[in-house]
Amino acid sequence: DTGVSQDPRHKITKRGQNVTFRCDPISEHNRLYWYRQTLGQGPEFLTYFQNEAQLEKSRLLSDRFSAERPKGSFSTLEIQRTEQGDSAMYLCASSLVPSGSWETQYFGPGTRLLVL
Amino acid sequence: RKEVEQDPGPFNVPEGATVAFNCTYSNSASQSFFWYRQDCRKEPKLLMSVYSSGNEDGRFTAQLNRASQYISLLIRDSKLSDSATYLCVVNSGGYQKVTFGTGTKLQVIP
C-alpha cells in the first residue's frame, strides 16, 4: 500500500496520560499536514511540515501538543496530559508541492482518540 | 463570517435525481478549490479539483464563481453509493494551508 498510513488506528486513554501518533506519508511527498476532526465538523488544520521544517501551527495547537518530522519522512504528533476535549479523529495528509502547481492532499485513515 | 461555509444538510434525494451543493468562501484571494468526499468514520478522499473554467468528471460537475465567491458541485443521476458527506476545501495560498467546510451530508434513497 503506497498511501498515507497512520498508527495506531484507535487509541483509548485516561485523562492526564500522554499519547503519540505516527504518520507515514506517501513516499515522495514533501508536505505533511495534521488535522483534527470532531463529529459533525470538517477537519481543522493543526500544523504542517515542508520536509522536516514545521512551517505553521494553528491556534488550536496548545502547548500540550507537539509535532515532529525529524528526517522529513514520517511524523509524530504527541499530546501531553490528555483532556476529554482532545477526543477526536486525528488525520494526517500529505502532498507534493512543486512551485506553481495546484496542491491536493491525500489523507491517511486517521487515528481515533478517546480520552476517558 | 466563517472562512468556508456549507449547508450541512442532510440532502435526501431519490436515486436518479440531480442534486447540487454550494460552498461559499470569504477570502477573495483564495487560489485553489476542491471537493472531497467522506464516508462515515472514514478519511476524506479527493473527489475533484475545481477550475475556473469548470470541470466535469462523469456524473459530477464542479463550478467556481469568483465574483460571488462560491463553488458548486452537481451530481447527476444519483446512485445509492453517492451517499456520503461532501467537503468543500479552499486553499488560500497566503496561509499555506487548506480550510475545510463542515461538509454537506447527502443521502440517496431507493
Side-chain angles (χ1 to χ4, degrees), chain A residues 43-89:
Chain A
E44 295 173 297
F45 167 78
L46 292 178
T47 188
Y48 90 98
F49 293 83
Q50 176 89 8
N51 300 311
E52 66 274 10
Q54 188 173 18
L55 297 187
E56 187 170 339
K57 293 193 289 186
S58 163
R59 292 185 301 274
L60 293 174
L61 212 65
S62 75
D63 291 344
R64 297 184 297 105
F65 288 71
S66 62
E68 294 182 345
R69 194 183 183 196
K71 298 180 180 178
S73 56
F74 75 90
S75 175
T76 58
L77 177 69
E78 181 182 17
I79 309 174
Q80 295 182 324
R81 305 180 304 281
T82 52
E83 301 173 357
Q84 288 182 325
D86 297 331
S87 297
M89 171 85 95

Side-chain angles (χ1 to χ4, degrees), chain B residues 10-65:
Chain B
F11 284 60
N12 297 314
V13 302
E15 265 186 295
T18 295
V19 62
F21 312 132
N22 280 346
C23 165
T24 58
Y25 60 94
S26 61
N27 186 345
S28 60
S30 298
Q31 298 179 357
S32 52
F33 309 88
F34 310 93
W35 283 103
Y36 277 72
R37 169 193 170 129
Q38 187 171 28
D39 293 296
C40 188
R41 302 180 75 83
K42 299 284 189 180
E43 74 274 21
K45 292 186 177 178
L46 179 67
L47 180 64
M48 58 199 305
S49 302
V50 186
Y51 304 123
S52 296
S53 56
N55 48 304
E56 187 173 313
D57 182 3
R59 298 182 293 109
F60 298 83
T61 301
Q63 298 275 357
L64 166 63
N65 186 317

